[in-house]
Amino acid sequence: MNRGVAVTGMGIISAIGNNTEANYRSLLSKESGISFPEILNTTHKNIPVGEIKFSNKSLTEASELPKGHSFTRAALLGSIAIKEALEQSKVKIDAETGFISGTSVGGIDATENHFKEFTEGKTENNRFIRSQHPGFTTEKIAGHFGITGFVSTISTACSSGANAIMMGARMIKTGKLKRVIVGGTDCLTKFTLNGFNSLMILSDKHCRSFDENRNGLNLGEGAAYLILEAEEELKGKPVLGRIMGYGNANDAFHQTASSENGEGALLAMQEALKIAKLKTGKIDYINAHGTATKNNDLSESRALQRLFGENVPDFSSTKTFTGHTLAAAGALEAVYSLLSLNKQQIFPNLNFSRTMNETGLEPVTELKEKKLDFILSNSFGFGGNCTSLIFAKDEG
Amino acid sequence: MINLQTELKESIIEQLNLEDMEPADIGNDEPLFGDGLGLDSIDALELIVLLEKDYGIKLTDPAQSREIFVSINKMAEFIEANRTK
Amino acid sequence: MKAKIYINGISSISAQNLDSEANPVSYHKTIFPAISPNYKEFIKPMALRRMSKAIKMGITSAKVALSEAKIEIPDAIITGTGEGCKQDTERFLENLLDQDEELLSPTSFIQSTHNTIGGQIALNLGCKNYNVTYTQNSASLESAFLDAEMQLLETSENKSVLVGGVDELSEKITQFKSLDGQLKSVDIHNLDLLKEDSPGTITSEGSHFFTLSTEKNNNSYAEFKDVSIKNSIQPEKINEEVEIFLIKNNINAAAIDAVIFGNNGDNRYDHYYKNLQQNLFKNTTQLAYKHLVGDYDTVSGFALYSACKILKNGRIPSIMNLNSSTPKKLKNILIYNQYLGRDHSLILLSAV
């Protein structure tokens, strides 16, 4: 029997709270974290974002880092989420503890700040020269928690965090690791804000996932991590939920856009169901990718209709709370999925008023109490990267 | 003075890295997207930037661009009617 | 019984020509580019026009590795890149800073993500299968191999996996490496790199792809036995760590016929290799390669490529020799690499 890989800890920081409990309270009270940028030093002060209202200085203090450290903002956020996850799972970090982190732009926030100095040959801040490369951020976090064994980074744009969870689950299943910290972190940067702005897919309002009149996404920032442990390591420990299935496929359609029929998304969901040995009817809720771009939401909806036919399960996009946190999104949404399983509640899709003409699909728009056994979570990214994860309630 | 069509062709070749092409290779009425020149949606975004940079025309909805970037002639017509520089 | 994994196709784009043994290319610089093949033979002009060198090198070498193994569509494409698409990142970042966040063209942003190379290979092949990109400094390619190994062993179906590593130079970001001591402070001759007793190294770019399968064919180069990654190792523990890896693979140091070391002429960190050279592998044939192709995050692809050729051809190019020992047979090759004392990796290959 496929019992799935056990999750024994989780931690999160996002625009709607700096720990799991705070995130849960915001989800319950339909309190969105979308605001205008105050911390990010950008000229685009009128573009709404899901910003975490802590400066790097206060995040540094929260993690008690020494002066002159070279943590990027993504490393600062990641450390806070991992600390919470470790406290919950009470694992001890040893040589057989792995760490797999998803990040899209890593520490490019530091590169933005120092690029001109470096081109002028100034060496004062040269400890940030390697920060641009995602492995740097991962290594800072690894060092902070004393992780010396298997450490790696996945960077597949917006599905990075979900792919890190998948990789960790596979490493536990194949016996390569006894325990592993998996998830993702990305901070708001000028690089990504301007990048998405140049693609003309940022909304000037709070994003309206799956709505006929949606007009783009809100960029967000955050970090979330799970602790996965092998069965023989559990020794009666509480299990938050299990990773039953995972699938990754490539749309192979366009560099950034999703195919209109959602082929890659469909293949990823099918593979996840196959690994989980589940029929479509078993899925009780879908935490959708639902970025609120014209393209994604239509493509994802079509994929849902192709897979589930007339019986598309309850679904919602929690990006309406947090914004699209890029590489962290899959990890944030894994935490929300696990919360849903534990509380037996579906969190709503905000800002929705009209179904799409093409599909007529309506997301869950109010908090919904329901028996939830299996939840599917989607994460799609540039380069056609599509990942689906299936979480199950622990049967004890 | 070169006409707007030729100027457009030159900037398109440069902006979109159409390395092996000359302005004469692009017909004034040839479709820019699909079966004609074969440009795609990323090129459309590049052309939106080009309109704003060179002619001071700001498009806010990428969908709008489909009617404008039909051919060199259509683009030139739109630019003549809307340019601010 | 655990299934065996074979390397059935290999490819390399580096700063050396493919016949580097007879006439190794000599550079007198700390940064030197890879020698480009004719990309037009592999990529259509309309697609080629906006590609950076990493994407071009990646697609080209991916296609060579696939065609060697006679595979059209692999069951998975797994890519490692330490620094990703730096040229596009640099272009977008510079425009953003110079133009004060206004009037930015999107192409370089789109192509800046680390999975652009893997995504473009998929797009070029029309391959909808599993596609993941790892970026962990000098353990990026090794992470990809670890995933590939699991892909092949998780199922009993016969599968083929394309796995490779790519890194490119960019004008400014690569140059920054001279500001934090990653590069030598003066130009040196690359072929003299291993005689250096100074900090820093020399860098370059390249792409190496491999087609892995659980089925052997008459083009098989080697059997891929195992890969291991450790983020940090205390210098005095290196012999012990390597022995643990060997024991796990039921082999001892005496059965290793050649070791390929990642010595890069940086006297602050080469002690990891020297310690093994003087102890565990004192009597083993020792090889090196970074004096040929420079050091960059996925350069171990060149070591792997070389090992495949050595195992298939049964001979070692003399330009790689670090000591005078010659092996009695060529059955098992171990590759060890690290960068700046972090991201250590071991790969074990066997003759088919």
Side-chain angles (χ1 to χ4, degrees), chain C residues 305-336:
Chain C
Y305 172 85
S306 304
C308 284
K309 288 183 70 165
I310 289 169
L311 289 172
K312 192 171 177 176
N313 301 337
R315 48 175 292 278
I316 294 168
S318 58
I319 187 101
M320 294 182 74
N321 284 327
L322 262 182
N323 63 358
S324 55
S325 157
T326 47
K328 288 186 198 69
K329 58 178 187 359
L330 275 168
K331 171 78 182 149
N332 299 310
I333 296 185
L334 182 73
I335 300 168
Y336 166 54

PDB file of all heavy atoms in Angstrom, chain C residues 305-336:
ATOM      1  N   TYR C 305      32.873  13.153 -19.293  1.00  0.00           N
ATOM      2  CA  TYR C 305      33.015  12.913 -20.736  1.00  0.00           C
ATOM      3  C   TYR C 305      34.349  12.220 -21.008  1.00  0.00           C
ATOM      4  O   TYR C 305      34.414  11.215 -21.729  1.00  0.00           O
ATOM      5  CB  TYR C 305      32.935  14.262 -21.452  1.00  0.00           C
ATOM      6  CG  TYR C 305      33.241  14.233 -22.933  1.00  0.00           C
ATOM      7  CD1 TYR C 305      32.246  13.920 -23.854  1.00  0.00           C
ATOM      8  CD2 TYR C 305      34.519  14.549 -23.408  1.00  0.00           C
ATOM      9  CE1 TYR C 305      32.520  13.905 -25.217  1.00  0.00           C
ATOM     10  CE2 TYR C 305      34.799  14.535 -24.761  1.00  0.00           C
ATOM     11  CZ  TYR C 305      33.794  14.215 -25.662  1.00  0.00           C
ATOM     12  OH  TYR C 305      34.074  14.199 -27.010  1.00  0.00           O
ATOM     13  N   SER C 306      35.418  12.724 -20.388  1.00  0.00           N
ATOM     14  CA  SER C 306      36.742  12.132 -20.578  1.00  0.00           C
ATOM     15  C   SER C 306      36.777  10.705 -20.039  1.00  0.00           C
ATOM     16  O   SER C 306      37.329   9.806 -20.682  1.00  0.00           O
ATOM     17  CB  SER C 306      37.818  12.967 -19.874  1.00  0.00           C
ATOM     18  OG  SER C 306      37.766  14.297 -20.333  1.00  0.00           O
ATOM     19  N   ALA C 307      36.174  10.501 -18.879  1.00  0.00           N
ATOM     20  CA  ALA C 307      36.163   9.159 -18.280  1.00  0.00           C
ATOM     21  C   ALA C 307      35.442   8.168 -19.189  1.00  0.00           C
ATOM     22  O   ALA C 307      35.881   7.025 -19.355  1.00  0.00           O
ATOM     23  CB  ALA C 307      35.488   9.209 -16.905  1.00  0.00           C
ATOM     24  N   CYS C 308      34.344   8.612 -19.781  1.00  0.00           N
ATOM     25  CA  CYS C 308      33.591   7.744 -20.702  1.00  0.00           C
ATOM     26  C   CYS C 308      34.480   7.316 -21.862  1.00  0.00           C
ATOM     27  O   CYS C 308      34.509   6.144 -22.260  1.00  0.00           O
ATOM     28  CB  CYS C 308      32.371   8.475 -21.247  1.00  0.00           C
ATOM     29  SG  CYS C 308      31.032   8.591 -20.057  1.00  0.00           S
ATOM     30  N   LYS C 309      35.214   8.283 -22.412  1.00  0.00           N
ATOM     31  CA  LYS C 309      36.074   7.962 -23.556  1.00  0.00           C
ATOM     32  C   LYS C 309      37.225   7.053 -23.131  1.00  0.00           C
ATOM     33  O   LYS C 309      37.598   6.121 -23.846  1.00  0.00           O
ATOM     34  CB  LYS C 309      36.594   9.247 -24.205  1.00  0.00           C
ATOM     35  CG  LYS C 309      35.470   9.956 -24.958  1.00  0.00           C
ATOM     36  CD  LYS C 309      35.896  11.189 -25.695  1.00  0.00           C
ATOM     37  CE  LYS C 309      36.764  10.901 -26.874  1.00  0.00           C
ATOM     38  NZ  LYS C 309      36.874  12.086 -27.760  1.00  0.00           N
ATOM     39  N   ILE C 310      37.775   7.315 -21.962  1.00  0.00           N
ATOM     40  CA  ILE C 310      38.889   6.494 -21.467  1.00  0.00           C
ATOM     41  C   ILE C 310      38.427   5.043 -21.292  1.00  0.00           C
ATOM     42  O   ILE C 310      39.104   4.104 -21.715  1.00  0.00           O
ATOM     43  CB  ILE C 310      39.424   7.070 -20.129  1.00  0.00           C
ATOM     44  CG1 ILE C 310      40.162   8.390 -20.386  1.00  0.00           C
ATOM     45  CG2 ILE C 310      40.343   6.058 -19.432  1.00  0.00           C
ATOM     46  CD1 ILE C 310      40.508   9.175 -19.125  1.00  0.00           C
ATOM     47  N   LEU C 311      37.245   4.865 -20.716  1.00  0.00           N
ATOM     48  CA  LEU C 311      36.753   3.503 -20.467  1.00  0.00           C
ATOM     49  C   LEU C 311      36.410   2.791 -21.774  1.00  0.00           C
ATOM     50  O   LEU C 311      36.605   1.588 -21.909  1.00  0.00           O
ATOM     51  CB  LEU C 311      35.545   3.529 -19.538  1.00  0.00           C
ATOM     52  CG  LEU C 311      35.852   3.892 -18.086  1.00  0.00           C
ATOM     53  CD1 LEU C 311      34.567   4.076 -17.292  1.00  0.00           C
ATOM     54  CD2 LEU C 311      36.736   2.824 -17.428  1.00  0.00           C
ATOM     55  N   LYS C 312      35.925   3.549 -22.738  1.00  0.00           N
ATOM     56  CA  LYS C 312      35.553   2.912 -24.007  1.00  0.00           C
ATOM     57  C   LYS C 312      36.791   2.600 -24.853  1.00  0.00           C
ATOM     58  O   LYS C 312      36.894   1.532 -25.454  1.00  0.00           O
ATOM     59  CB  LYS C 312      34.593   3.810 -24.786  1.00  0.00           C
ATOM     60  CG  LYS C 312      33.952   3.098 -25.970  1.00  0.00           C
ATOM     61  CD  LYS C 312      32.848   3.938 -26.574  1.00  0.00           C
ATOM     62  CE  LYS C 312      32.274   3.232 -27.797  1.00  0.00           C
ATOM     63  NZ  LYS C 312      31.139   3.961 -28.347  1.00  0.00           N
ATOM     64  N   ASN C 313      37.738   3.557 -24.863  1.00  0.00           N
ATOM     65  CA  ASN C 313      38.920   3.385 -25.718  1.00  0.00           C
ATOM     66  C   ASN C 313      40.039   2.616 -25.035  1.00  0.00           C
ATOM     67  O   ASN C 313      40.985   2.182 -25.691  1.00  0.00           O
ATOM     68  CB  ASN C 313      39.477   4.739 -26.170  1.00  0.00           C
ATOM     69  CG  ASN C 313      38.436   5.539 -26.937  1.00  0.00           C
ATOM     70  OD1 ASN C 313      37.505   4.965 -27.492  1.00  0.00           O
ATOM     71  ND2 ASN C 313      38.576   6.861 -26.955  1.00  0.00           N
ATOM     72  N   GLY C 314      39.956   2.511 -23.725  1.00  0.00           N
ATOM     73  CA  GLY C 314      40.985   1.776 -22.995  1.00  0.00           C
ATOM     74  C   GLY C 314      42.322   2.495 -22.908  1.00  0.00           C
ATOM     75  O   GLY C 314      43.346   1.887 -22.612  1.00  0.00           O
ATOM     76  N   ARG C 315      42.327   3.792 -23.139  1.00  0.00           N
ATOM     77  CA  ARG C 315      43.584   4.520 -22.959  1.00  0.00           C
ATOM     78  C   ARG C 315      43.355   5.943 -22.446  1.00  0.00           C
ATOM     79  O   ARG C 315      42.305   6.542 -22.640  1.00  0.00           O
ATOM     80  CB  ARG C 315      44.409   4.533 -24.239  1.00  0.00           C
ATOM     81  CG  ARG C 315      43.661   4.905 -25.515  1.00  0.00           C
ATOM     82  CD  ARG C 315      44.618   4.994 -26.666  1.00  0.00           C
ATOM     83  NE  ARG C 315      45.510   6.128 -26.478  1.00  0.00           N
ATOM     84  CZ  ARG C 315      45.151   7.380 -26.801  1.00  0.00           C
ATOM     85  NH1 ARG C 315      43.982   7.632 -27.309  1.00  0.00           N
ATOM     86  NH2 ARG C 315      45.997   8.372 -26.604  1.00  0.00           N
ATOM     87  N   ILE C 316      44.405   6.441 -21.785  1.00  0.00           N
ATOM     88  CA  ILE C 316      44.300   7.742 -21.127  1.00  0.00           C
ATOM     89  C   ILE C 316      45.103   8.784 -21.905  1.00  0.00           C
ATOM     90  O   ILE C 316      46.272   8.553 -22.206  1.00  0.00           O
ATOM     91  CB  ILE C 316      44.860   7.634 -19.685  1.00  0.00           C
ATOM     92  CG1 ILE C 316      43.960   6.711 -18.848  1.00  0.00           C
ATOM     93  CG2 ILE C 316      44.987   9.006 -19.041  1.00  0.00           C
ATOM     94  CD1 ILE C 316      44.571   6.300 -17.522  1.00  0.00           C
ATOM     95  N   PRO C 317      44.519   9.925 -22.237  1.00  0.00           N
ATOM     96  CA  PRO C 317      45.302  10.986 -22.884  1.00  0.00           C
ATOM     97  C   PRO C 317      46.392  11.476 -21.924  1.00  0.00           C
ATOM     98  O   PRO C 317      46.094  11.825 -20.782  1.00  0.00           O
ATOM     99  CB  PRO C 317      44.275  12.099 -23.147  1.00  0.00           C
ATOM    100  CG  PRO C 317      42.931  11.458 -22.987  1.00  0.00           C
ATOM    101  CD  PRO C 317      43.117  10.326 -22.036  1.00  0.00           C
ATOM    102  N   SER C 318      47.627  11.497 -22.378  1.00  0.00           N
ATOM    103  CA  SER C 318      48.740  11.812 -21.473  1.00  0.00           C
ATOM    104  C   SER C 318      48.632  13.219 -20.881  1.00  0.00           C
ATOM    105  O   SER C 318      49.136  13.477 -19.788  1.00  0.00           O
ATOM    106  CB  SER C 318      50.071  11.654 -22.211  1.00  0.00           C
ATOM    107  OG  SER C 318      50.065  12.501 -23.346  1.00  0.00           O
ATOM    108  N   ILE C 319      47.956  14.109 -21.588  1.00  0.00           N
ATOM    109  CA  ILE C 319      47.828  15.489 -21.114  1.00  0.00           C
ATOM    110  C   ILE C 319      47.058  15.567 -19.790  1.00  0.00           C
ATOM    111  O   ILE C 319      47.135  16.556 -19.062  1.00  0.00           O
ATOM    112  CB  ILE C 319      47.139  16.358 -22.197  1.00  0.00           C
ATOM    113  CG1 ILE C 319      47.136  17.847 -21.840  1.00  0.00           C
ATOM    114  CG2 ILE C 319      45.704  15.946 -22.472  1.00  0.00           C
ATOM    115  CD1 ILE C 319      48.170  18.618 -22.552  1.00  0.00           C
ATOM    116  N   MET C 320      46.346  14.501 -19.454  1.00  0.00           N
ATOM    117  CA  MET C 320      45.578  14.497 -18.205  1.00  0.00           C
ATOM    118  C   MET C 320      46.358  13.960 -17.008  1.00  0.00           C
ATOM    119  O   MET C 320      45.910  14.091 -15.864  1.00  0.00           O
ATOM    120  CB  MET C 320      44.295  13.662 -18.369  1.00  0.00           C
ATOM    121  CG  MET C 320      43.297  14.260 -19.354  1.00  0.00           C
ATOM    122  SD  MET C 320      41.777  13.257 -19.460  1.00  0.00           S
ATOM    123  CE  MET C 320      40.973  13.656 -17.900  1.00  0.00           C
ATOM    124  N   ASN C 321      47.515  13.363 -17.233  1.00  0.00           N
ATOM    125  CA  ASN C 321      48.233  12.701 -16.137  1.00  0.00           C
ATOM    126  C   ASN C 321      48.730  13.665 -15.069  1.00  0.00           C
ATOM    127  O   ASN C 321      49.354  14.678 -15.354  1.00  0.00           O
ATOM    128  CB  ASN C 321      49.440  11.941 -16.688  1.00  0.00           C
ATOM    129  CG  ASN C 321      49.014  10.649 -17.362  1.00  0.00           C
ATOM    130  OD1 ASN C 321      48.048  10.024 -16.944  1.00  0.00           O
ATOM    131  ND2 ASN C 321      49.734  10.264 -18.409  1.00  0.00           N
ATOM    132  N   LEU C 322      48.448  13.293 -13.815  1.00  0.00           N
ATOM    133  CA  LEU C 322      48.960  14.071 -12.676  1.00  0.00           C
ATOM    134  C   LEU C 322      50.166  13.375 -12.060  1.00  0.00           C
ATOM    135  O   LEU C 322      50.984  13.995 -11.399  1.00  0.00           O
ATOM    136  CB  LEU C 322      47.878  14.176 -11.596  1.00  0.00           C
ATOM    137  CG  LEU C 322      47.008  15.417 -11.508  1.00  0.00           C
ATOM    138  CD1 LEU C 322      46.062  15.284 -10.332  1.00  0.00           C
ATOM    139  CD2 LEU C 322      47.830  16.690 -11.383  1.00  0.00           C
ATOM    140  N   ASN C 323      50.242  12.054 -12.196  1.00  0.00           N
ATOM    141  CA  ASN C 323      51.403  11.321 -11.683  1.00  0.00           C
ATOM    142  C   ASN C 323      51.867  10.337 -12.766  1.00  0.00           C
ATOM    143  O   ASN C 323      51.280  10.275 -13.861  1.00  0.00           O
ATOM    144  CB  ASN C 323      51.087  10.612 -10.361  1.00  0.00           C
ATOM    145  CG  ASN C 323      49.995   9.553 -10.512  1.00  0.00           C
ATOM    146  OD1 ASN C 323      49.441   9.366 -11.604  1.00  0.00           O
ATOM    147  ND2 ASN C 323      49.695   8.871  -9.434  1.00  0.00           N
ATOM    148  N   SER C 324      52.902   9.572 -12.444  1.00  0.00           N
ATOM    149  CA  SER C 324      53.475   8.732 -13.492  1.00  0.00           C
ATOM    150  C   SER C 324      52.916   7.306 -13.467  1.00  0.00           C
ATOM    151  O   SER C 324      53.292   6.465 -14.275  1.00  0.00           O
ATOM    152  CB  SER C 324      54.997   8.703 -13.353  1.00  0.00           C
ATOM    153  OG  SER C 324      55.306   8.291 -12.042  1.00  0.00           O
ATOM    154  N   SER C 325      52.026   7.044 -12.540  1.00  0.00           N
ATOM    155  CA  SER C 325      51.453   5.703 -12.444  1.00  0.00           C
ATOM    156  C   SER C 325      50.601   5.374 -13.667  1.00  0.00           C
ATOM    157  O   SER C 325      49.818   6.203 -14.136  1.00  0.00           O
ATOM    158  CB  SER C 325      50.607   5.626 -11.166  1.00  0.00           C
ATOM    159  OG  SER C 325      49.655   4.610 -11.272  1.00  0.00           O
ATOM    160  N   THR C 326      50.769   4.183 -14.204  1.00  0.00           N
ATOM    161  CA  THR C 326      49.883   3.749 -15.291  1.00  0.00           C
ATOM    162  C   THR C 326      49.062   2.551 -14.806  1.00  0.00           C
ATOM    163  O   THR C 326      49.591   1.658 -14.162  1.00  0.00           O
ATOM    164  CB  THR C 326      50.675   3.337 -16.548  1.00  0.00           C
ATOM    165  OG1 THR C 326      51.735   2.478 -16.138  1.00  0.00           O
ATOM    166  CG2 THR C 326      51.230   4.537 -17.279  1.00  0.00           C
ATOM    167  N   PRO C 327      47.800   2.541 -15.132  1.00  0.00           N
ATOM    168  CA  PRO C 327      46.947   1.462 -14.620  1.00  0.00           C
ATOM    169  C   PRO C 327      47.185   0.141 -15.368  1.00  0.00           C
ATOM    170  O   PRO C 327      47.498   0.153 -16.558  1.00  0.00           O
ATOM    171  CB  PRO C 327      45.540   1.985 -14.886  1.00  0.00           C
ATOM    172  CG  PRO C 327      45.676   2.933 -16.010  1.00  0.00           C
ATOM    173  CD  PRO C 327      47.053   3.500 -15.965  1.00  0.00           C
ATOM    174  N   LYS C 328      47.052  -0.971 -14.654  1.00  0.00           N
ATOM    175  CA  LYS C 328      47.201  -2.287 -15.285  1.00  0.00           C
ATOM    176  C   LYS C 328      45.987  -2.585 -16.149  1.00  0.00           C
ATOM    177  O   LYS C 328      46.059  -3.217 -17.173  1.00  0.00           O
ATOM    178  CB  LYS C 328      47.341  -3.362 -14.204  1.00  0.00           C
ATOM    179  CG  LYS C 328      48.686  -3.306 -13.513  1.00  0.00           C
ATOM    180  CD  LYS C 328      48.845  -4.489 -12.551  1.00  0.00           C
ATOM    181  CE  LYS C 328      49.957  -4.246 -11.547  1.00  0.00           C
ATOM    182  NZ  LYS C 328      49.630  -3.181 -10.566  1.00  0.00           N
ATOM    183  N   LYS C 329      44.846  -2.137 -15.667  1.00  0.00           N
ATOM    184  CA  LYS C 329      43.623  -2.312 -16.448  1.00  0.00           C
ATOM    185  C   LYS C 329      42.798  -1.027 -16.288  1.00  0.00           C
ATOM    186  O   LYS C 329      43.128  -0.177 -15.451  1.00  0.00           O
ATOM    187  CB  LYS C 329      42.842  -3.527 -15.953  1.00  0.00           C
ATOM    188  CG  LYS C 329      42.458  -3.449 -14.479  1.00  0.00           C
ATOM    189  CD  LYS C 329      41.653  -4.639 -14.065  1.00  0.00           C
ATOM    190  CE  LYS C 329      41.075  -4.590 -12.664  1.00  0.00           C
ATOM    191  NZ  LYS C 329      41.268  -3.510 -11.756  1.00  0.00           N
ATOM    192  N   LEU C 330      41.767  -0.875 -17.070  1.00  0.00           N
ATOM    193  CA  LEU C 330      40.904   0.294 -16.914  1.00  0.00           C
ATOM    194  C   LEU C 330      39.474  -0.173 -16.715  1.00  0.00           C
ATOM    195  O   LEU C 330      38.712  -0.343 -17.666  1.00  0.00           O
ATOM    196  CB  LEU C 330      41.022   1.213 -18.129  1.00  0.00           C
ATOM    197  CG  LEU C 330      42.178   2.206 -18.079  1.00  0.00           C
ATOM    198  CD1 LEU C 330      42.399   2.869 -19.415  1.00  0.00           C
ATOM    199  CD2 LEU C 330      41.959   3.250 -16.988  1.00  0.00           C
ATOM    200  N   LYS C 331      39.130  -0.385 -15.465  1.00  0.00           N
ATOM    201  CA  LYS C 331      37.795  -0.903 -15.155  1.00  0.00           C
ATOM    202  C   LYS C 331      36.965   0.144 -14.398  1.00  0.00           C
ATOM    203  O   LYS C 331      35.864   0.477 -14.788  1.00  0.00           O
ATOM    204  CB  LYS C 331      37.953  -2.189 -14.315  1.00  0.00           C
ATOM    205  CG  LYS C 331      36.696  -2.763 -13.717  1.00  0.00           C
ATOM    206  CD  LYS C 331      35.851  -3.532 -14.731  1.00  0.00           C
ATOM    207  CE  LYS C 331      34.565  -4.054 -14.069  1.00  0.00           C
ATOM    208  NZ  LYS C 331      33.450  -4.116 -15.009  1.00  0.00           N
ATOM    209  N   ASN C 332      37.547   0.691 -13.335  1.00  0.00           N
ATOM    210  CA  ASN C 332      36.790   1.631 -12.497  1.00  0.00           C
ATOM    211  C   ASN C 332      37.446   3.009 -12.439  1.00  0.00           C
ATOM    212  O   ASN C 332      38.637   3.117 -12.165  1.00  0.00           O
ATOM    213  CB  ASN C 332      36.686   1.084 -11.066  1.00  0.00           C
ATOM    214  CG  ASN C 332      35.965  -0.248 -11.019  1.00  0.00           C
ATOM    215  OD1 ASN C 332      34.881  -0.393 -11.575  1.00  0.00           O
ATOM    216  ND2 ASN C 332      36.593  -1.236 -10.400  1.00  0.00           N
ATOM    217  N   ILE C 333      36.647   4.028 -12.691  1.00  0.00           N
ATOM    218  CA  ILE C 333      37.153   5.406 -12.586  1.00  0.00           C
ATOM    219  C   ILE C 333      36.306   6.177 -11.577  1.00  0.00           C
ATOM    220  O   ILE C 333      35.067   6.120 -11.606  1.00  0.00           O
ATOM    221  CB  ILE C 333      37.133   6.129 -13.951  1.00  0.00           C
ATOM    222  CG1 ILE C 333      38.096   5.441 -14.928  1.00  0.00           C
ATOM    223  CG2 ILE C 333      37.501   7.605 -13.792  1.00  0.00           C
ATOM    224  CD1 ILE C 333      38.247   6.156 -16.263  1.00  0.00           C
ATOM    225  N   LEU C 334      36.988   6.899 -10.694  1.00  0.00           N
ATOM    226  CA  LEU C 334      36.321   7.748  -9.708  1.00  0.00           C
ATOM    227  C   LEU C 334      36.598   9.210 -10.056  1.00  0.00           C
ATOM    228  O   LEU C 334      37.721   9.555 -10.422  1.00  0.00           O
ATOM    229  CB  LEU C 334      36.865   7.433  -8.312  1.00  0.00           C
ATOM    230  CG  LEU C 334      36.235   8.199  -7.147  1.00  0.00           C
ATOM    231  CD1 LEU C 334      34.818   7.690  -6.860  1.00  0.00           C
ATOM    232  CD2 LEU C 334      37.102   8.093  -5.890  1.00  0.00           C
ATOM    233  N   ILE C 335      35.582  10.038  -9.952  1.00  0.00           N
ATOM    234  CA  ILE C 335      35.741  11.479 -10.203  1.00  0.00           C
ATOM    235  C   ILE C 335      35.414  12.218  -8.901  1.00  0.00           C
ATOM    236  O   ILE C 335      34.362  11.985  -8.296  1.00  0.00           O
ATOM    237  CB  ILE C 335      34.788  11.955 -11.324  1.00  0.00           C
ATOM    238  CG1 ILE C 335      35.077  11.203 -12.629  1.00  0.00           C
ATOM    239  CG2 ILE C 335      34.913  13.463 -11.534  1.00  0.00           C
ATOM    240  CD1 ILE C 335      34.019  11.400 -13.702  1.00  0.00           C
ATOM    241  N   TYR C 336      36.318  13.086  -8.473  1.00  0.00           N
ATOM    242  CA  TYR C 336      36.058  13.869  -7.267  1.00  0.00           C
ATOM    243  C   TYR C 336      36.217  15.355  -7.573  1.00  0.00           C
ATOM    244  O   TYR C 336      37.184  15.775  -8.197  1.00  0.00           O
ATOM    245  CB  TYR C 336      37.007  13.460  -6.133  1.00  0.00           C
ATOM    246  CG  TYR C 336      37.020  14.446  -4.970  1.00  0.00           C
ATOM    247  CD1 TYR C 336      35.826  14.821  -4.346  1.00  0.00           C
ATOM    248  CD2 TYR C 336      38.204  15.018  -4.523  1.00  0.00           C
ATOM    249  CE1 TYR C 336      35.826  15.740  -3.315  1.00  0.00           C
ATOM    250  CE2 TYR C 336      38.208  15.935  -3.481  1.00  0.00           C
ATOM    251  CZ  TYR C 336      37.018  16.300  -2.887  1.00  0.00           C
ATOM    252  OH  TYR C 336      37.010  17.224  -1.867  1.00  0.00           O
TER     253      TYR C 336
END
